[in-house]
Amino acid sequence: MTDVAIVGMAQTPYRRRRDDANFAELIYEVSCGALQDAGLEVGDIDNFITVSNDFWDGRTISSMAVQDACGSSFDGGRNVSTVEGDGTFGLLYGMMRILSGAYRTTLVVVHCKGSEGNMRLITNGMFDYIYTRPLGIEATGAAALQARRYMDKYKLTEEDFAHVSIKNRGNALRNPNAQLAASLSLDEVMASTPIASPLKLHDISPISDGAAAVVLAHRNVANKLGRKPVWVKGIAHCSEAHFLGDRDLAEAPALRDAAFRAYQMAGIEDPFAEIDLVELYDAYSYMEPLWFEEMGFCSKGEGAELTRLGATAFDGPLPVNPSGGVLSAHAVMVAGLARVIEAALQIRGEAGERQVEGPVELALAHGINGPCGQSHCVVILGE
Amino acid sequence: MEKDELIHLHADVDLPYRWAAGRYGSMMLRALRDRKVILGNRCPQCNKVYVPPRVVCGPCFIQPSEVVELSPAGILVGYSVVNYHFIDPETGQKRPVPYTYAYIKLDGCDNYLSHLVDETDPNRLYPGVRVEAVFRPDGDRVGRLQDILHFRVVD
Amino acid sequence: MSRSAEENIIYDGRIRMPYKWAAGKTSSFFLTQLRDHAKIWGTRCSLCQMIFVPPRKNCPRCVTADTTWVELPPRGILQTYTEIHFSEPLLQPLEPPYMYGVVKLEGADTGLTHFLGEVEPEKLRSGMRMEAVFKKKEDRCGLITDLLYFRPEGGSGS
Amino acid sequence: MAQRVGIIGFGQTYHRSHRDDVNGVELINEAVRAALEDAGLSIDDIDAVVIGNMDHFEAVNYVDTWSVDGSGAWMKPLIKLTTGGTTGSTLGIAGYHHAASGLFDVVLVIGWEKNSESDTTGAIITCSDPIFDRFSFSGALPGLAVEASAYIKRYGIKEEDAARVAVRDRAHGANNPYAQLQTPVTVEEVMLSPMLSWPIKLLDICPRSDGAAAVIFAGERKARQLCSQPAWVHYTAVRHSHAYFGDVDYTRLHTLEAAVQELYQNVGIKEPLKELDVVELYQPYSFAGLKWIEAMGLCKPGESPRLVWDGVTDMGGELPFNPSGGVICTNCIGATGLLRIGEAALQVMDRAVGRQVPDVNLALATGFGGAYWSDLMLLGRRPW
């Protein structure tokens, strides 16, 4: 349990191209939206965190584009910092700066326009330049190696993964912000274009443009606001080795570690029984069961079976990605904060058509950095 | 002695981008291309006029809603005759030097426009000297800030 | 005026820059041994005894720089693989479709990611024994691609 | 949960123009091992790792996950921050908040750069807006030249005054075995060095360096347990305003003025010249050593040359600046701000071998970068 709550949030719809808006315009939209949602003025915010990536933006110091738009230049300027990584890490650092006693309120903003760069070149750039980059490997090729290893180790099939795409793209039909929403059949997924075996087109998240913002507040502020605060009950992050060959790609010990520490902080002993909803980073279909298992919701190798049985369905006992997940909209870095926002909306009971049945008292949101989920951040949100 | 040989890896990193100018940027670049006009926008609170026009006045956190046509002329606030060699990250090649990089305060505008001046003689360049925009001819303008070829010193 | 009437201006540009990365002493030894002798070397941490390929100047887990060289055989076990079908000419050194795999060399504790060759993708299985195929000596230039690919041990698996 | 925080260890590489003997990950590891050794810790004692640099100097994306083998962050909490020239100070401030939040006790903070691996000016140009600024932008020099020339014009400052600042830092750098430039220079030599962009000459500006820095922050209980004299973090302040280079007021460094005012007010500093004992100023060129110390309220506008010529900012003066030799002697950009913090910490800890200022109670470290942004961290001998 921590003393920090989410008191405001906003996100843009996620679309393949937002040629009508530059980074500052996306950020100004969500900054104003999150402040309005919180019932606060920009002058009430004493700390800002921007999240962006210099490769995706094609700009060194990519945060420069959004300093004015997030409000950090307001009235002579406020304290601000910039995280380069998933939005959940921005949330984490924003929280730290409140917990340290330095600030009372924090606006966390994140943007990415996947439409403006070349995803394959940009993600090739995250691999080591001596041994791996010259091979031309990038995010999807690496993910395919992980998917194959996971299948082989736990005797899973491509059909197992297809069910995740069917579920999440189906969930996205209820989410107006989603980019890809469809009622897919098993045959359609299985027959979709091969990209990097065993991954096919429908196993892979789209490239999206979008932005998101969250207002964090210390307990003393949060309790005075009109809105029902959504508390950050637990949070933890962890990274494992970089070289793909240093890792057993069928395992995610860093996620296991982060989830364990986040549960400890939140006082969770039995995650499956206690957590009501999960929004996790399913950049590829196989990631959902893999992450789900490492979060301790079931034994290793059982995640896909649970999906097939409907346990993680929209109306199942533990809905996973009722928003449609990253498979339905993937603005890189934004996607982790979008998971947080989706989980928080469910706790507030304000998720509209995608509101799951029954009360959501405790939810898990998750973000990743680096190839094949090398680094993870787990956030536990609650009433 | 191969043990002492140090290897370098050479890469010509080439990342293509298609940056969107956005609502205000597009408005300005269309006006430049179609009408040879430089646009700014004015903050309704502090009355500052900005170029390029933008979605927000940072100090006021308000949309500068009023779009204004700026004069193509103004004063040179600061400049630097660039004489040193460096790689232009747009081409991967050395950018030709010398050239003059300048901050220009257009008449009616409160901040500066970064651009080029077609003058490298330091005797003709000084802060406060008047300069004016030289536009590319009709048909050559494509909707970039480089549709202003450069600024020139007005005697 | 409707928004659709407003043309969005796009700036088609690039970041294009030459980079010169230093491999450093440790990787330079690995790359020159690969180039000159078609040999693959790893490093052993004197504390945890783990053998890493590619070699590390310091142990990534113990952080100590107390590591020693170990020569590894050019063969090992296939841990995972993929066949790449998508095309990205700005990036790919080979014409798709082509294959990547992770091969754990005999005696090493980590796998090496590289191309796979001389095998039909449907014949690939995790756990297969693989061996390294090197470029001809005159074509080797001190890059990781001096190792051409791994193929099933004993020659073509197709 | 909130706790006071002290710096308990600092390590740096020997900074050089080219470190071809190590790659980036290995360079990082040198600083990490040096910091661990300095603090008497092993990597197992580290609870979280913070790292940063500027992506396009080395063309490495996601440097945090890429560098795990060197940073020691394997199976540890790891985060990356980057804000341009202020990256190093941004990282140090993040290290402080990691520990101060109570979420982590011992935090390893790493800043690094291998500027030899690309064209530094070309890479800096990529920080400008790609549509409106980049085709004309020419790196760091022109903006600084505009700032310096406006300052000269307004206060009648002489180029020799700035040269004296460079002379001071180069003299100090001779005391620092880690500095890239360790040979002193004279005012005449600075004045005769090639003119790069009037009034800035070659010896007025920083070099480009390969190097890394690592600083270990700890919460109060751990800090007292692990270190006999931690450098306690008293306050941090940051201003990152402006989106375009044409928005900057080159006659005043507003960001530094605002950050300094916030810091002085909250800490209760009324006479900074008297109350501060040493400053590690992120001073990328000599003129900043005049104009910016005025922005810091050390003297009235236009009066800084007198302070500098009188030796007030020299070793042995009332308020020594940059005992390490500062940025003019070493500039591995992503590490530079963190080097300021680490060097300031050494001064507070009384461990700045060969460059120690006597009796340091309060040390100020600054960061500079982006579109004329400023960061501050105040360190003290006693917890605040």
Side-chain angles (χ1 to χ4, degrees), chain C residues 6-154:
Chain C
E6 295 178 356
E7 174 199 358
N8 295 313
I9 302 280
I10 304 295
Y11 188 102
D12 280 303
R14 53 210 319 114
I15 290 182
R16 180 168 188 183
M17 298 248 288
Y19 288 86
K20 191 181 85 173
W21 293 302
K25 274 185 190 170
T26 304
S27 290
S28 292
F29 176 78
F30 176 94
L31 294 170
T32 52
Q33 285 285 313
L34 182 62
R35 179 191 65 195
D36 300 341
H37 307 293
K39 283 184 175 174
I40 303 174
W41 289 78
T43 48
R44 185 204 313 267
C45 169
S46 59
L47 292 181
C48 70
Q49 301 296 323
M50 273 184 73
I51 294 177
F52 290 90
V53 185
R56 317 300 152 89
K57 185 178 182 211
N58 59 280
C59 175
R61 310 212 170 166
C62 306
V63 177
T64 174
D66 191 0
T67 57
T68 51
W69 285 106
V70 185
E71 191 190 333
L72 294 159
R75 59 183 174 273
I77 303 292
L78 185 65
Q79 295 184 297
T80 184
Y81 57 92
T82 179
E83 187 182 27
I84 300 295
H85 296 276
F86 71 82
S87 171
E88 179 47 81
L90 293 172
L91 176 69
Q92 291 168 333
L94 301 177
E95 192 79 23
Y98 62 93
M99 289 164 282
Y100 294 117
V102 178
V103 175
K104 188 183 271 191
L105 300 178
E106 274 173 29
D109 289 296
T110 65
L112 188 63
T113 304
H114 216 297
F115 298 117
L116 304 180
E118 295 184 45
V119 58
E120 295 301 319
E122 51 275 15
K123 299 236 170 100
L124 284 170
R125 294 288 178 271
S126 293
M128 278 173 85
R129 297 189 57 79
M130 308 294 284
E131 64 185 11
V133 177
F134 300 93
K135 279 187 184 167
K136 284 185 297 209
K137 179 152 188 173
E138 59 270 28
D139 294 338
R140 297 201 294 261
C141 56
L143 296 173
I144 188 62
T145 43
D146 289 351
L147 196 170
L148 208 49
Y149 49 72
F150 287 97
R151 68 179 178 196
E153 200 171 46

Side-chain angles (χ1 to χ4, degrees), chain A residues 17 19-22 24-25 28 35 42 55-58 68-71 73-75 113 115-117 121 130, chain B residues 9 13-26 45 53-63:
Chain A
R17 288 191 193 291
D19 284 349
D20 60 311
N22 62 15
E25 287 161 353
Y28 187 63
L35 288 169
V42 67
F55 269 74
W56 283 104
D57 281 14
D68 288 339
C70 75
S73 305
F74 179 70
D75 189 25
K113 293 185 77 179
S115 69
E116 296 196 348
L121 296 178
I130 304 171
Chain B
L9 301 127
V13 173
D14 188 1
L15 303 166
Y17 290 95
R18 52 183 307 286
W19 291 290
R23 182 178 165 204
Y24 287 93
S26 295
Q45 187 155 310
R54 64 212 45 202
V55 67
V56 63
C57 166
C60 300
F61 201 63
I62 287 177
Q63 276 204 55

Side-chain angles (χ1 to χ4, degrees), chain B residues 101-140:
Chain B
Y101 171 69
Y103 296 114
I104 292 148
K105 192 165 185 296
L106 296 173
D107 297 340
C109 191
D110 289 287
N111 69 335
Y112 315 140
L113 184 68
S114 308
H115 218 287
L116 310 171
V117 177
D118 72 332
E119 178 64 71
T120 55
D121 177 0
N123 293 319
R124 292 189 28 121
L125 291 168
Y126 52 91
V129 70
R130 286 201 63 79
V131 293
E132 69 176 14
V134 177
F135 297 92
R136 288 183 192 274
D138 290 355
D140 280 1

Side-chain angles (χ1 to χ4, degrees), chain B:
Chain B
M1 281 293 289
E2 64 194 12
K3 270 195 178 177
D4 292 328
E5 180 183 346
L6 290 176
I7 298 232
H8 284 96
L9 301 127
H10 297 265
D12 185 10
V13 173
D14 188 1
L15 303 166
Y17 290 95
R18 52 183 307 286
W19 291 290
R23 182 178 165 204
Y24 287 93
S26 295
M27 190 187 296
M28 179 196 187
L29 296 174
R30 288 193 308 261
L32 194 56
R33 178 191 63 194
D34 302 339
R35 300 191 287 129
K36 286 207 292 191
V37 161
I38 304 172
L39 294 184
N41 60 352
R42 185 193 313 274
C43 172
Q45 187 155 310
C46 67
N47 277 318
K48 262 185 142 179
V49 174
Y50 290 104
V51 68
R54 64 212 45 202
V55 67
V56 63
C57 166
C60 300
F61 201 63
I62 287 177
Q63 276 204 55
S65 40
E66 184 194 345
V67 175
V68 292
E69 285 196 10
L70 299 167
S71 160
I75 58 164
L76 186 67
V77 173
Y79 71 94
S80 174
V81 180
V82 178
N83 258 317
Y84 45 88
H85 288 281
F86 60 88
I87 301 289
D88 185 334
E90 177 106 37
T91 62
Q93 308 291 320
K94 282 186 175 163
R95 193 184 281 176
V97 291
Y99 69 90
T100 299
Y101 171 69
Y103 296 114
I104 292 148
K105 192 165 185 296
L106 296 173
D107 297 340
C109 191
D110 289 287
N111 69 335
Y112 315 140
L113 184 68
S114 308
H115 218 287
L116 310 171
V117 177
D118 72 332
E119 178 64 71
T120 55
D121 177 0
N123 293 319
R124 292 189 28 121
L125 291 168
Y126 52 91
V129 70
R130 286 201 63 79
V131 293
E132 69 176 14
V134 177
F135 297 92
R136 288 183 192 274
D138 290 355
D140 280 1
R141 295 190 304 278
V142 295
R144 292 184 165 202
L145 191 55
Q146 296 94 309
D147 288 349
I148 302 172
L149 193 58
H150 50 244
F151 282 75
R152 69 178 187 90
V153 174
V154 189
D155 285 308

Side-chain angles (χ1 to χ4, degrees), chain A residues 21-356:
Chain A
N22 62 15
F23 304 137
E25 287 161 353
L26 291 177
I27 287 297
Y28 187 63
E29 178 188 332
V30 293
S31 298
C32 292
L35 288 169
Q36 191 179 18
D37 184 52
L40 292 171
E41 304 281 331
V42 67
D44 298 322
I45 305 293
D46 57 11
N47 175 42
F48 295 81
I49 301 292
T50 68
V51 181
S52 56
N53 174 287
D54 294 2
F55 269 74
W56 283 104
D57 281 14
R59 183 175 189 181
T60 295
I61 327 184
S62 47
S63 59
M64 214 189 292
V66 299
Q67 293 299 327
D68 288 339
C70 75
S72 76
S73 305
F74 179 70
D75 189 25
R78 298 294 165 96
N79 279 278
V80 59
S81 192
T82 299
V83 170
E84 188 168 283
D86 182 66
T88 48
F89 290 73
L91 177 96
L92 169 69
Y93 184 41
M95 252 188 83
M96 284 181 197
R97 287 162 66 106
I98 292 175
L99 292 174
S100 70
Y103 310 107
R104 291 148 40 92
T105 49
T106 295
L107 177 64
V108 182
V109 301
V110 52
H111 71 269
C112 188
K113 293 185 77 179
S115 69
E116 296 196 348
N118 179 315
M119 176 281 245
R120 306 227 184 265
L121 296 178
I122 288 168
T123 61
N124 173 253
M126 67 184 165
F127 291 94
D128 109 88
Y129 44 68
I130 304 171
Y131 303 101
T132 319
R133 268 167 87 162
L135 306 175
I137 207 161
E138 42 66 76
T140 298
L145 292 170
Q146 184 168 41
R148 171 65 64 192
R149 169 69 185 149
Y150 181 42
M151 284 169 67
D152 286 353
K153 185 165 182 178
Y154 293 106
K155 308 286 178 276
L156 305 171
T157 63
E158 293 183 42
E159 284 82 356
D160 287 330
F161 301 153
H163 285 290
V164 175
S165 299
I166 293 166
K167 170 178 74 75
N168 290 357
R169 294 267 166 87
N171 287 349
L173 290 165
R174 300 184 194 86
N175 181 0
N177 292 330
Q179 179 181 331
L180 296 182
S183 296
L184 292 172
S185 69
L186 185 61
D187 286 346
E188 277 176 291
V189 179
M190 293 303 292
S192 63
T193 313
I195 304 294
S197 68
L199 301 176
K200 301 165 293 296
L201 185 65
H202 288 324
D203 290 307
I204 299 173
S205 56
I207 291 170
S208 315
D209 288 356
V214 157
V215 182
L216 301 174
H218 187 269
R219 179 179 297 280
N220 299 338
V221 177
N223 283 330
K224 287 182 197 143
L225 296 172
R227 278 240 172 249
K228 173 172 142 184
V230 175
W231 296 98
V232 181
K233 299 209 159 195
I235 191 162
H237 62 311
C238 188
S239 173
E240 63 174 303
H242 176 64
F243 281 100
L244 298 175
D246 284 13
R247 299 164 58 181
D248 179 346
L249 292 171
E251 311 291 327
L255 176 55
R256 215 176 303 148
D257 180 80
F260 174 78
R261 285 186 288 112
Y263 296 157
Q264 250 187 341
M265 195 184 291
I268 293 171
E269 284 166 5
D270 181 348
F272 195 94
E274 295 175 57
I275 291 172
D276 302 308
L277 180 139
V278 176
E279 282 280 342
L280 58 73
Y281 208 110
D282 53 330
Y284 301 91
S285 57
Y286 76 88
M287 282 185 171
E288 183 171 301
L290 177 52
W291 302 158
F292 189 72
E293 293 161 11
E294 297 289 16
M295 289 168 181
F297 291 114
C298 62
S299 304
K300 289 292 301 186
E302 282 183 357
E305 175 77 2
L306 283 177
T307 297
R308 214 174 39 249
L309 295 174
T312 61
F314 185 77
D315 53 2
L318 179 53
V320 177
N321 291 329
S323 65
V326 181
L327 276 170
S328 303
H330 191 187
V332 177
M333 295 169 293
V334 182
L337 202 64
R339 306 277 71 69
V340 169
I341 291 173
E342 289 293 333
L345 285 173
Q346 294 281 353
I347 289 170
R348 276 189 184 171
E350 293 177 0
E353 223 189 307
R354 59 191 184 282
Q355 182 71 41
V356 299

